[in-house]
Amino acid sequence: MIPFAAPVRDLRFVLEELLEHGSLALPGFEEASPDLVEAVLEEAARLAGEVWAPLNASGDRQGCARRDDGGVSVPDGFIEAYQAYAEGGWNGIGVSEALGGQGLPEVVASSVQEMLHGANMALGLCPMLTAGAIEALAHHGSDEQQATYLPKLVEGTWTGTMNLTEPQAGSDLSKVRTRAVPQEDGSYRLFGQKIFITWGEHDAAENIIHLVLARKPDAPEGNKGISLFLVPKFLVNEDGSLGSRNDVTCASIEHKLGIHGSPTCTLAFGENDGAIGYLVGEEGRGLNHMFTMMNEARHKVGIQGIGVAERACQHAFAYALDRTQGRSPRSGRSDCTISDHLDVRRMLLSMRARTDALRALALYCAAQLDVARHAADEGERKAAQARVDVLIPVVKAFSTDQAVEIASLGVQVHGGMGFIEETGAAQLLRDARIAPIYEGTNGIQALDLAGRKLQRDGGAALEGLIGEVEATAAELEASAEHVELGRSLAGGAADLRAAMAAVLEAGADPESGADAVQAYATPFLNLAGHVLCAWQMGRAALKASAAQASGSEEPFYSAKRQSADYAIRQWLPVGRAQRAVIEAGMASLAAFDANPH
Amino acid sequence: MIPFAAPVRDLRFVLEELLEHGSLALPGFEEASPDLVEAVLEEAARLAGEVWAPLNASGDRQGCARRDDGGVSVPDGFIEAYQAYAEGGWNGIGVSEALGGQGLPEVVASSVQEMLHGANMALGLCPMLTAGAIEALAHHGSDEQQATYLPKLVEGTWTGTMNLTEPQAGSDLSKVRTRAVPQEDGSYRLFGQKIFITWGEHDAAENIIHLVLARKPDAPEGNKGISLFLVPKFLVNEDGSLGSRNDVTCASIEHKLGIHGSPTCTLAFGENDGAIGYLVGEEGRGLNHMFTMMNEARHKVGIQGIGVAERACQHAFAYALDRTQGRSPRSGRSDCTISDHLDVRRMLLSMRARTDALRALALYCAAQLDVARHAADEGERKAAQARVDVLIPVVKAFSTDQAVEIASLGVQVHGGMGFIEETGAAQLLRDARIAPIYEGTNGIQALDLAGRKLQRDGGAALEGLIGEVEATAAELEASAEHVELGRSLAGGAADLRAAMAAVLEAGADPESGADAVQAYATPFLNLAGHVLCAWQMGRAALKASAAQASGSEEPFYSAKRQSADYAIRQWLPVGRAQRAVIEAGMASLAAFDANPH
């Protein structure tokens, strides 16, 4: 088995050199020093590499099983690995100290998450969902709810779930039917069925706190009738001890393409007297409350994709550096490793460059999240939030689409061995394939970007980012050794601006605007992802050559420069073609009858 | 379960309208009329849809198992389905009548193969490998070998295998170590281990004829020491009856990502006295003889990818036309099917357009194979063969790369359901993923195109094809309704010519030529695939609008025109970006150290 070495050096490059530890200068992070961050990364890398990663393949093989008693068994070792994580305090790493967390910046929390997802994506989903529940309660829960549930969730003694989907309500949550019937004591009884509930039932924690979208019997149809309810697996007594088992049960678990170690449950609410639940936040505002946490969950899914992409790189590099085959064109030796063949090296560099670029962009977004939450100046906070709003759909969708391609290239590098499950490369592809689907499909992300996010500010936030891309391009062009990178990046920025103008114009048409946004959303997000990632790699090239100019001979910087060169000059051009795709218009899509019979 | 309807209408469009049944005009096909071809397609569609397709999902779930007696059990129903195929005479459909086959053109045989692979790729592999064995024996076997083995192989009573790969010899077959020790009676005893042998052991046929690469004890190292041997599972007596069991056994079967219904075996030759084998063709020419059949096998793998892509389309369209979700921007109704959302429709049209285009190119290649084999004029035969030589790596690699992407899009169209194995979309992705790997990885195909095929004639054959692309582009530009298609296609042709010149020039450098071919091969093949497929869709657009102009109101033609529009104006631009990738040079690849530690 290929061991997993969490990419501490690469993460530090982003945090220290690209982001210049900007988050640590924000109010509230006075106690977090670069040394502390380094120690946190090293410690997380140990947990990821030594405890979580060795269970990735065995967890995939064994999978989860629903027991006759209605419980769900997760793979051997997962409970212990989760508990090691919780006991190490990792669950609260990005949670504020006021809520019992470590209060470290989002850039650090995201770095740790990337390592853990790279180590074991199926297990990483458990705390990812808990984080969403913490977020929702921290923003919308009553004081009493926060006091009762948050400490245990932050510790990780209890885990959380998000219960949105029903068979008829997937991307369109307005169709949610689960009923919440008010009781005299102010609580509710819930009746209904939720599907695709990640870590919906398991024994890894003492209790599970389900956050559930449902509607009161008299609620209006559509979005406005939906409220958010908290439904604990075990009711919680006034003294905080666990009471009786609530009427929510796991009806079945899914047989999935990947993430076999993560139980995906159908939950039945109210098969007997009704599942006791409590309203969270305002009645009729359930979708809004849920989106508070979904926005950050989407960033985390992007991070997850990057974790799996990193692991796919490590597998592919290890194989390509070990497997001898063919004759080297340079040495003429017939025992060269396949990494010596430039066609294979193209695959390796393509995987590496894209993973580097996605990581840099996702952590840039995390740094903006830190500013949006912690900057002293309100204007600064708002400007950062506007960038975050634009970046999150890109980070979610682009990182996960690319992660699937990177994992698939990883299979290809292994040749025939890649198709054999024992090799491990195929699992990464199977696991990665869910990420473009859940937490809002990548199509939904694209609509969010090209529709809501772009139309509401007329593209101002994205225009600000394009301006920064151009500034980096100018800096590259001004430096003798990076002229070509600068030109290519400037071309990308121009394409993105032109495409944005086209999408804004087409989207503003009262007649066809909604269709136009749908038609152009995916190519537009893809173009934005390429340009913004290339931008980050332009910055990486500048930092790497500066380090070399200061005398560093670390091979890391030379590899980073090749990675940047590939990203900007060989990967970006493919993305830039999406401008032509948008400019080709939407006539063929509008005219195409999917059911001509 | 989604039933599979073999795409008879689409295949007929290609055979009748794009290829104008040119193969039927060739010498040797006098008895094959358009009516006969139509009847053959209809009958094959019935076998595919009614007999093979229903076993696809169950075969995946059940998989194969090696029994304690060393035999291998294939999934329930596979033996009967294979026998229905053999008894129907389908195994000999493209084999000449002189060898006992039906003697139909390759275009028809390829059409039938596409249907069968779409129905059940795992089962389709069995006759695909047999076809390779028939090809090798027909070209290189002695009269006696042909008399003994060909009739049973053509009938399908016996099946064939190709035994190339060993643990240390994959893409580089010069490293084959299996030994063939000459015996006094002129036969050989083989000792060694072969891996990844498709349908290497099973009970679906009375006998299995293994074609094995091995070397004599005194043979030189490298390619020239390798010969081809025929090793039957059961020895064949002089009267044609089966004799004793040969010393070749299945040591294990692989646990794979997909094609679970196809047993992938490790075969042990000579664990006891040695496996009795017979030299096929000339000593030391084993690799050449094997490549005779590999070239056509590569075409068949491309066809296989198209079959799976077609099925992925059918699954995705069926789901998208049934699933209601969201509000239609046009009707405003909240019960629209997801096919009404242009973002989903983009995925559907992208899948359909690419599948149409790949099919048209693969069958164009098959038609050129017919000319190369059957044309009366030698010059015509040679010119067609030169095109085939260029087209086969494109058909193999491009069709299979695209098939993976199409199957992955198919998963995406299903949303969360796509990740659930019972839906069936995920299996298509898992199955498709092997096709870019086997029969020469797609990297090897790209090297074959950009290296051997392009360099040996200075690009003449591809230049001829580019000329035809330009002629179609001119025809489109001359027609008022297709001007934009013509412009886009002409631009693609110009890009391909420029890229070809760049690859030829870089490849001719005595110092760096070999590296350059490696560096540019994959982007070059990708560009060629896009341009040649777009060309075929340009021809499809012309034929479809001609049919409409003649009064046809069949919705098929309108759909085909949207498909062509998408292929040329929205898909081709992405491929055209590969010119910029090539022009960016190979410096970053050459400098990148995959092992900087």
Side-chain angles (χ1 to χ4, degrees):
Chain A
M1 204 197 64
I2 307 290
F4 174 65
V8 176
R9 182 70 188 88
D10 290 277
L11 287 162
R12 285 185 53 194
F13 174 71
V14 179
L15 299 184
E16 296 168 13
E17 300 186 60
L18 293 186
L19 299 172
E20 294 173 340
H21 268 321
S23 295
L24 300 187
L26 292 166
F29 298 128
E30 290 78 6
E31 286 169 37
S33 65
D35 285 352
L36 175 73
V37 171
E38 191 183 331
V40 166
L41 295 184
E42 292 291 354
E43 201 52 46
R46 201 158 16 246
L47 178 72
E50 293 173 13
V51 183
W52 281 35
L55 300 172
N56 197 41
S58 58
D60 177 66
R61 272 195 303 278
Q62 188 183 353
C64 300
R66 185 178 172 281
R67 300 187 304 262
D68 289 341
D69 67 1
V72 170
S73 301
V74 296
D76 294 343
F78 270 41
I79 292 181
E80 296 76 7
Y82 174 73
Q83 283 169 354
Y85 161 90
E87 283 160 16
W90 295 104
N91 205 48
I93 184 168
V95 179
S96 72
E97 289 174 282
L99 297 176
Q102 315 291 322
L104 284 169
E106 187 62 43
V107 285
V108 180
S110 291
S111 299
V112 170
Q113 285 156 18
E114 193 216 295
M115 297 188 209
L116 293 170
H117 286 302
N120 194 321
M121 175 173 164
L123 180 52
L125 279 164
C126 178
M128 193 176 112
L129 273 290
T130 304
I134 292 170
E135 197 71 34
L137 287 177
H139 280 89
H140 307 293
S142 67
D143 290 347
E144 193 195 330
Q145 286 169 345
Q146 294 191 0
T148 306
Y149 299 100
L150 274 181
K152 295 288 193 179
L153 286 168
V154 172
E155 277 172 25
T157 322
W158 300 348
T159 65
T161 71
M162 290 166 72
N163 283 248
L164 289 70
T165 308
E166 298 177 11
Q168 78 294 342
S171 293
D172 183 0
L173 290 169
S174 72
K175 295 211 165 53
V176 157
R177 285 191 203 135
T178 295
R179 283 180 309 127
V181 182
Q183 307 295 303
E184 290 189 358
D185 65 355
S187 72
Y188 292 78
R189 296 266 176 166
L190 274 77
F191 302 88
Q193 192 191 61
K194 293 287 181 178
I195 61 171
F196 298 161
I197 309 308
T198 300
W199 283 83
E201 175 56 35
H202 62 84
D203 300 328
E206 291 169 8
N207 202 2
I208 304 175
I209 309 305
H210 303 292
L211 288 171
V212 186
L213 291 182
R215 48 175 97 240
K216 285 174 65 179
D218 59 352
E221 287 202 2
N223 292 342
K224 287 180 185 158
I226 299 176
S227 304
L228 181 62
F229 298 88
L230 183 157
V231 180
K233 172 180 171 183
F234 289 102
L235 298 172
V236 181
N237 298 322
E238 289 206 3
D239 64 356
S241 63
L242 296 186
S244 57
R245 183 73 164 80
N246 204 350
D247 185 13
V248 48
T249 53
C250 173
S252 62
I253 63 171
E254 303 290 354
H255 174 218
K256 308 187 297 295
L257 175 60
I259 50 166
H260 294 165
S262 166
T264 303
C265 304
T266 296
L267 292 186
F269 292 84
E271 297 252 285
N272 296 300
D273 302 333
I276 295 173
Y278 312 101
L279 179 69
V280 177
E282 287 176 56
E283 199 179 310
R285 303 266 299 160
L287 276 183
N288 298 61
H289 297 346
M290 198 56 107
F291 276 110
T292 310
M293 71 184 184
M294 274 196 75
N295 218 21
E296 308 204 1
R298 286 169 174 186
H299 184 258
K300 290 181 170 70
V301 173
I303 292 284
Q304 187 174 54
I306 297 163
V308 178
E310 170 64 33
R311 190 160 199 180
C313 286
Q314 294 191 15
H315 274 250
F317 277 68
Y319 185 80
L321 288 165
D322 178 65
R323 170 76 171 169
T324 57
Q325 198 77 175
R327 192 174 295 276
S328 163
R330 266 143 290 128
S331 69
R333 288 174 59 168
S334 72
D335 59 349
C336 73
T337 60
I338 60 171
S339 61
D340 230 18
H341 299 301
L342 291 198
D343 179 62
V344 174
R345 209 183 286 172
R346 172 180 292 282
M347 294 192 269
L348 296 175
L349 184 51
S350 167
M351 295 173 73
R352 170 52 63 210
R354 294 198 257 178
T355 304
D356 283 350
L358 296 168
R359 172 182 295 128
L361 185 66
L363 291 179
Y364 173 82
C365 178
Q368 293 294 312
L369 265 168
D370 283 326
V371 175
R373 289 175 190 156
H374 294 277
D377 180 67
E378 196 196 341
E380 218 179 312
R381 289 200 303 274
K382 282 195 172 165
Q385 186 62 47
R387 289 195 172 184
V388 165
D389 288 346
V390 164
L391 287 169
I392 278 183
V394 177
V395 169
K396 193 280 182 180
F398 194 62
S399 301
T400 58
D401 276 345
Q402 292 291 323
V404 172
E405 288 186 26
I406 291 165
S408 187
L409 262 184
V411 169
Q412 191 70 19
V413 168
H414 287 80
M417 291 304 295
F419 203 64
I420 307 300
E421 285 288 1
E422 285 77 1
T423 305
Q427 183 195 342
L428 298 173
L429 174 58
R430 290 190 287 98
D431 286 352
R433 191 63 193 80
I434 186 59
I437 296 173
Y438 60 21
E439 292 297 329
T441 65
N442 284 1
I444 295 286
Q445 305 301 322
L447 295 178
D448 181 43
L449 174 67
R452 219 160 62 89
K453 301 286 173 66
L454 213 59
Q455 309 287 339
R456 75 178 180 195
D457 73 351
L462 183 56
E463 176 59 43
L465 287 164
I466 296 173
E468 298 222 17
V469 177
E470 287 170 329
T472 299
E475 204 177 334
L476 289 162
E477 286 193 81
S479 138
E481 53 187 349
H482 297 306
V483 175
E484 286 177 7
L485 298 191
R487 273 192 210 133
S488 179
L489 187 58
D495 287 336
L496 181 56
R497 179 175 284 118
M500 182 171 76
V503 172
L504 280 168
E505 192 192 329
D509 188 303
E511 193 78 1
S512 62
D515 265 346
V517 166
Q518 284 253 3
Y520 302 137
T522 289
F524 182 72
L525 185 143
N526 188 275
L527 172 58
H530 276 92
V531 173
L532 295 171
C533 279
W535 165 45
Q536 290 299 316
M537 293 310 286
R539 299 190 58 237
L542 290 165
K543 293 291 183 181
S545 53
Q548 288 178 326
S550 316
S552 170
E553 291 182 357
E554 198 186 344
F556 176 87
Y557 290 110
S558 154
K560 198 63 74 190
R561 285 185 62 177
Q562 308 316 330
S563 180
D565 192 275
Y566 185 91
I568 297 173
R569 297 180 63 236
Q570 313 232 6
W571 183 45
L572 175 60
V574 180
R576 288 179 61 183
Q578 297 298 326
R579 175 180 172 178
V581 172
I582 291 168
E583 290 175 349
M586 63 183 211
S588 64
L589 291 180
F592 181 62
D593 183 355
N595 190 16
H597 304 299
Chain B
M1 205 198 63
I2 308 289
F4 175 65
V8 175
R9 182 69 188 87
D10 290 277
L11 288 162
R12 285 185 54 195
F13 174 71
V14 178
L15 299 184
E16 296 169 13
E17 300 185 60
L18 292 186
L19 299 172
E20 296 173 337
H21 268 321
S23 294
L24 300 186
L26 291 166
F29 298 128
E30 290 77 7
E31 286 170 35
S33 65
D35 285 351
L36 174 73
V37 171
E38 190 182 333
V40 166
L41 294 184
E42 293 290 355
E43 201 52 47
R46 199 155 21 245
L47 177 72
E50 295 173 13
V51 183
W52 281 36
L55 300 173
N56 197 41
S58 58
D60 177 65
R61 272 196 301 278
Q62 187 183 354
C64 301
R66 185 177 171 280
R67 300 187 305 262
D68 289 341
D69 67 1
V72 169
S73 301
V74 296
D76 294 343
F78 271 40
I79 292 181
E80 295 76 7
Y82 174 73
Q83 284 169 356
Y85 160 91
E87 284 160 16
W90 295 104
N91 204 48
I93 183 168
V95 180
S96 72
E97 289 174 282
L99 298 176
Q102 315 291 320
L104 285 168
E106 187 62 42
V107 286
V108 180
S110 291
S111 298
V112 171
Q113 286 155 18
E114 192 215 295
M115 298 189 208
L116 293 170
H117 286 303
N120 195 322
M121 173 173 165
L123 181 52
L125 278 163
C126 178
M128 192 176 112
L129 272 291
T130 304
I134 292 170
E135 197 71 33
L137 287 176
H139 279 90
H140 307 292
S142 66
D143 291 349
E144 193 195 329
Q145 286 169 345
Q146 294 191 0
T148 307
Y149 299 101
L150 276 180
K152 295 288 193 179
L153 286 168
V154 172
E155 277 173 26
T157 322
W158 300 348
T159 66
T161 71
M162 289 166 71
N163 284 248
L164 288 70
T165 308
E166 299 177 10
Q168 78 294 343
S171 295
D172 183 1
L173 289 170
S174 72
K175 296 214 165 50
V176 157
R177 285 192 202 135
T178 295
R179 282 179 308 126
V181 182
Q183 307 295 302
E184 290 189 357
D185 65 355
S187 72
Y188 293 79
R189 295 269 177 162
L190 274 76
F191 301 88
Q193 192 191 61
K194 292 287 182 179
I195 62 171
F196 299 160
I197 308 310
T198 299
W199 284 82
E201 175 56 36
H202 61 84
D203 300 329
E206 291 170 7
N207 202 2
I208 304 175
I209 309 305
H210 303 292
L211 288 170
V212 186
L213 291 182
R215 47 175 98 242
K216 285 174 64 179
D218 60 351
E221 288 202 1
N223 291 343
K224 287 181 184 157
I226 300 176
S227 304
L228 181 62
F229 297 88
L230 183 157
V231 180
K233 172 181 173 183
F234 290 102
L235 298 172
V236 181
N237 299 321
E238 290 206 1
D239 64 356
S241 63
L242 295 185
S244 56
R245 183 72 165 77
N246 205 350
D247 185 13
V248 48
T249 53
C250 173
S252 62
I253 64 171
E254 302 291 354
H255 173 219
K256 307 187 298 294
L257 175 61
I259 51 167
H260 294 165
S262 166
T264 303
C265 304
T266 295
L267 292 186
F269 292 85
E271 297 252 285
N272 296 301
D273 302 334
I276 295 172
Y278 313 101
L279 180 70
V280 176
E282 286 177 56
E283 199 180 308
R285 302 265 299 161
L287 276 183
N288 299 60
H289 297 345
M290 198 55 106
F291 277 110
T292 310
M293 70 185 186
M294 275 195 75
N295 218 22
E296 307 203 0
R298 288 170 172 185
H299 185 258
K300 290 182 169 71
V301 172
I303 291 284
Q304 187 174 54
I306 297 162
V308 178
E310 171 64 33
R311 190 160 198 181
C313 285
Q314 294 191 16
H315 274 250
F317 276 68
Y319 185 80
L321 288 166
D322 179 64
R323 170 76 171 168
T324 57
Q325 198 77 176
R327 191 174 295 276
S328 163
R330 266 144 290 131
S331 68
R333 288 174 59 167
S334 72
D335 60 349
C336 73
T337 61
I338 60 171
S339 61
D340 230 19
H341 299 301
L342 291 199
D343 180 61
V344 174
R345 209 183 285 172
R346 172 180 291 282
M347 293 192 270
L348 296 175
L349 183 52
S350 167
M351 296 173 73
R352 170 51 64 211
R354 295 197 257 177
T355 304
D356 283 352
L358 296 168
R359 172 183 293 127
L361 186 66
L363 291 179
Y364 172 83
C365 178
Q368 293 293 311
L369 266 169
D370 283 327
V371 175
R373 290 175 190 156
H374 295 277
D377 179 67
E378 196 197 340
E380 218 179 312
R381 289 200 304 274
K382 282 194 171 165
Q385 185 62 47
R387 288 194 173 184
V388 165
D389 288 346
V390 164
L391 286 168
I392 278 183
V394 177
V395 169
K396 193 279 181 181
F398 194 61
S399 301
T400 57
D401 276 344
Q402 292 290 323
V404 172
E405 287 187 26
I406 291 165
S408 188
L409 262 184
V411 169
Q412 190 71 19
V413 168
H414 287 79
M417 291 303 295
F419 203 63
I420 307 300
E421 284 288 1
E422 284 77 0
T423 306
Q427 183 195 343
L428 299 172
L429 174 59
R430 291 189 287 98
D431 286 353
R433 191 63 193 79
I434 187 57
I437 296 173
Y438 60 20
E439 292 296 329
T441 65
N442 285 0
I444 295 286
Q445 305 300 322
L447 294 178
D448 181 43
L449 174 68
R452 219 161 61 92
K453 301 287 173 64
L454 214 60
Q455 309 288 337
R456 76 179 180 193
D457 73 352
L462 183 56
E463 176 59 43
L465 286 164
I466 296 174
E468 298 222 15
V469 177
E470 288 171 327
T472 299
E475 204 177 333
L476 289 162
E477 285 193 81
S479 137
E481 54 186 350
H482 297 306
V483 175
E484 287 177 6
L485 297 191
R487 273 191 210 133
S488 180
L489 186 59
D495 288 336
L496 181 55
R497 179 175 285 119
M500 181 171 78
V503 172
L504 280 168
E505 191 192 329
D509 188 302
E511 194 78 1
S512 62
D515 266 346
V517 165
Q518 283 253 4
Y520 302 136
T522 289
F524 182 72
L525 185 144
N526 188 275
L527 173 58
H530 276 92
V531 173
L532 295 170
C533 279
W535 165 45
Q536 289 299 317
M537 294 311 286
R539 300 189 59 237
L542 291 165
K543 293 291 184 182
S545 54
Q548 289 178 325
S550 314
S552 170
E553 292 182 358
E554 198 187 344
F556 177 86
Y557 290 110
S558 155
K560 199 62 76 190
R561 286 184 61 176
Q562 309 316 330
S563 179
D565 191 276
Y566 185 90
I568 296 173
R569 297 179 62 237
Q570 312 231 6
W571 183 45
L572 175 60
V574 181
R576 289 179 61 182
Q578 298 298 326
R579 174 180 172 177
V581 172
I582 291 168
E583 289 176 349
M586 64 183 207
S588 63
L589 292 180
F592 181 61
D593 184 356
N595 190 17
H597 305 300

